[in-house]
Amino acid sequence: MSFEAAVGEVDITPVNPPYPSLWMGGYGWSPRGNHGAVARRLRAQCLVLWDGGVPKVLLRADLVSIPRDVNQQIRNTLVGEGLVAAENLMLLASHTHSGPLFGDTRPSPQVMMGLTQADVDAVNGTTSMITDLMVQLVRDTIAEQRTAVTLAYAEGQAKIGYNRVVANGAVLDTVPVLRLKKTGGGLFAVVFGAACHPVSRGNDDVFDGEFPEVAAELVETALGVPALFVQGACGDQEANDPHSPATTEQLGTALGQEVLDVLAGPGFSTVTGPVATALTEVSLPFHADTTDPAVRAAVLHKYELRRRVLPKTDPNRRHADMMVKLINAGTVPTSIPMPIQRWRFGGLSILALAHEPLSTYHVRLRAAFAGKLWVMGYANECEGYVADNDTLRSGGNLHFGYEAGWNANDPTIAAEGSFCISYAWPGPLKFSDTPTPAAGTTERIVMDASLGLLSS
């Protein structure tokens, strides 16, 4: 079956003026800002696939994350204008750690970096400008002239990272490649992926699309068509050391060359329509049930104690201040919402997971699903890590509990220096102290919802 397609892009690299903020996201725990240096441009790209005249929109951007309120703003605007149905719009962040701080909710600029309200207002100004560019990009791409295309899928391998949580744990080296060819003609566009934290450059003050942009530019230069990078389930997948600009070039070149090698090979299988899309949302409860007054009082006491012993300049103290206010106001969160999206083609299924899913989800979903499956992460919104049950129940025994969110034998509050601090959550997600995750715990909720979508 032939689809119709259009591709567009826009530069979203902040420059002052007109962008009010050049604060950068991706690293804690002190203020980090760009001063005008750009190694590689940051961009948003949009692919529209018309299937039976109905548009499916993939919008990806060189951002560390998309917070929930921005996802909802973009989605509500485009759906409200009648341009695309909610389940047919997929937003994806590359997770580059060398891009702008985006939004003022999660991660929290106040907690993570100690920014002033004036700084946060500037961050929101830059966020608003980039958001407007992304929305307009979708409008413009949908209005472009359509090209009849056929789709095909293949996979390669590129070892550009390691598992930073579990020694000898899963290392995701799969390189998914979706090829779009003009009907009766040449190549039209390429969508490709990997699962690896874009931290290869290291913690400096230079804007950079990171190794995904190196790879995309290599493919585009070689083939003369747009190349769109999609991030995978890389919550525990770290870029190879040492982190330096040279490593960014090395890893990006390795990834881009693998994409070119896959495209030159015979391993593609046809991908057809119609495309069945679905979008659902689950709630991931925290391990400490603060709807229980006794539990809530105990958690409050622990955060009040943390406030007393830590200096005001400590991000963990800033987090404790926030938690105390939320608990006293009766507004402390009790769960994390998680959108999960499925696009099922003939010959390929795409499952897009919100937040920072760990590699276990990639491994177990592909093992449980009989067909070709592309697992994407950082999809639609990203507001924290989603660890598997083994990582969650191990707590501080794995990578200091950073991805689990707890350590010090206390899973009721956020561990100091863990993801729960920067993302401003009260504590770790719910787990069971059993090899098989129990009903109502994080891994079980995510797996059941994902497999349900894939089988429906």
Side-chain angles (χ1 to χ4, degrees):
M1 174 182 177
S2 180
F3 297 88
E4 293 178 309
V7 178
E9 74 170 64
V10 63
D11 193 318
I12 59 170
T13 313
V15 178
N16 183 266
Y19 289 88
S21 165
L22 299 185
W23 290 115
M24 299 179 71
Y27 295 99
W29 298 93
S30 58
R32 169 177 173 245
N34 176 270
H35 300 281
V38 178
R40 270 163 289 271
R41 60 184 180 149
L42 309 173
R43 54 180 172 171
Q45 295 166 291
C46 179
L47 167 66
V48 182
L49 278 177
W50 284 269
D51 167 43
V54 177
K56 277 56 175 187
V57 177
L58 188 156
L59 176 62
R60 53 84 55 205
D62 292 323
L63 296 169
V64 67
S65 60
I66 299 172
R68 182 172 178 81
D69 61 336
V70 177
N71 167 36
Q72 292 176 330
Q73 179 184 345
I74 293 172
R75 190 171 299 276
N76 291 341
T77 299
L78 295 171
V79 172
E81 292 177 3
L83 294 176
V84 61
E87 65 273 18
N88 294 339
L89 172 63
M90 186 182 295
L91 310 181
L92 301 162
S94 72
H95 200 48
T96 177
H97 282 47
S98 295
L101 186 61
F102 196 65
D104 69 344
T105 53
R106 306 188 197 279
S108 165
Q110 296 95 331
V111 172
M112 184 174 71
M113 295 168 58
L115 296 189
T116 67
Q117 188 56 52
D119 291 330
V120 174
D121 290 343
V123 168
N124 284 332
T126 287
T127 300
S128 179
M129 293 179 68
I130 293 175
T131 300
D132 289 346
L133 287 172
M134 292 170 67
V135 169
Q136 190 59 45
L137 173 61
V138 175
R139 296 186 184 118
D140 293 343
T141 308
I142 288 177
E144 282 186 17
Q145 183 176 349
R146 307 179 192 180
T147 299
V149 296
T150 57
L151 308 184
Y153 178 77
E155 292 180 354
Q157 289 184 313
K159 292 186 180 297
I160 60 175
Y162 63 94
N163 193 313
R164 71 186 186 191
V165 175
V166 180
N168 301 316
V171 177
L172 303 186
D173 59 3
T174 303
V175 179
V177 179
L178 183 66
R179 183 186 69 194
L180 289 77
K181 293 185 71 173
K182 300 175 185 176
T183 302
L187 194 63
F188 177 76
V190 177
V191 183
F192 70 100
C196 182
H197 256 71
V199 294
S200 62
R201 181 180 187 91
N203 186 355
D204 62 15
D205 61 1
V206 179
F207 281 140
D208 192 350
E210 257 273 353
F211 75 79
E213 189 63 28
V214 174
E217 289 182 357
L218 189 154
V219 173
E220 291 175 340
T221 299
L223 302 178
V225 299
L228 292 76
F229 171 83
V230 174
Q231 188 59 266
C234 77
D236 54 358
Q237 305 292 295
E238 181 85 356
N240 286 340
D241 298 319
H243 293 174
S244 69
T247 302
T248 299
E249 294 281 355
Q250 176 190 2
L251 300 187
T253 299
L255 177 58
Q257 187 58 55
E258 179 62 13
V259 174
L260 291 176
D261 290 347
V262 170
L263 288 166
F268 282 88
S269 58
T270 301
V271 174
T272 63
V275 185
T277 60
L279 177 64
T280 191
E281 184 170 284
V282 296
S283 292
L284 306 179
F286 295 112
H287 199 68
D289 180 10
T290 53
T291 62
D292 181 326
V295 173
R296 187 168 61 251
V299 170
L300 175 61
H301 175 74
K302 291 175 181 179
Y303 279 120
E304 287 176 332
L305 177 60
R306 186 174 285 180
R307 289 181 70 208
R308 288 198 294 269
V309 300
L310 294 178
K312 291 183 178 180
T313 55
D314 189 321
N316 300 290
R317 162 68 184 270
R318 297 193 291 263
H319 176 269
D321 289 341
M322 180 181 289
M323 292 303 109
V324 168
K325 289 179 181 177
L326 291 174
I327 294 171
N328 285 332
T331 56
V332 66
T334 58
S335 63
I336 299 178
M338 181 178 184
I340 301 175
Q341 191 168 17
R342 180 260 289 152
W343 285 8
R344 183 172 59 239
F345 298 78
L348 174 66
S349 290
I350 293 173
L351 190 75
L353 302 175
H355 309 312
E356 303 200 45
L358 269 60
S359 61
T360 299
Y361 291 101
H362 170 105
V363 173
R364 292 183 180 168
L365 286 166
R366 281 171 59 106
F369 184 69
K372 291 183 172 66
L373 178 61
W374 188 341
V375 179
M376 300 176 178
Y378 305 82
N380 295 310
E381 57 197 54
C382 176
E383 297 204 328
Y385 281 79
V386 180
D388 57 276
N389 196 66
D390 284 343
T391 300
L392 283 169
R393 70 191 184 108
S394 296
N397 292 328
L398 293 176
H399 201 215
F400 312 106
Y402 179 81
E403 292 80 7
W406 69 279
N407 56 33
N409 298 315
D410 189 353
T412 64
I413 63 171
E416 294 185 21
S418 73
F419 90 88
C420 292
I421 302 297
S422 58
Y423 278 108
W425 293 117
L429 292 170
K430 190 173 183 179
F431 59 89
S432 59
D433 195 19
T434 56
T436 301
T441 58
T442 302
E443 182 181 330
R444 181 77 172 270
I445 292 170
V446 175
M447 289 295 295
D448 286 353
S450 297
L451 292 173
L453 278 183
L454 290 171
S455 63
S456 64

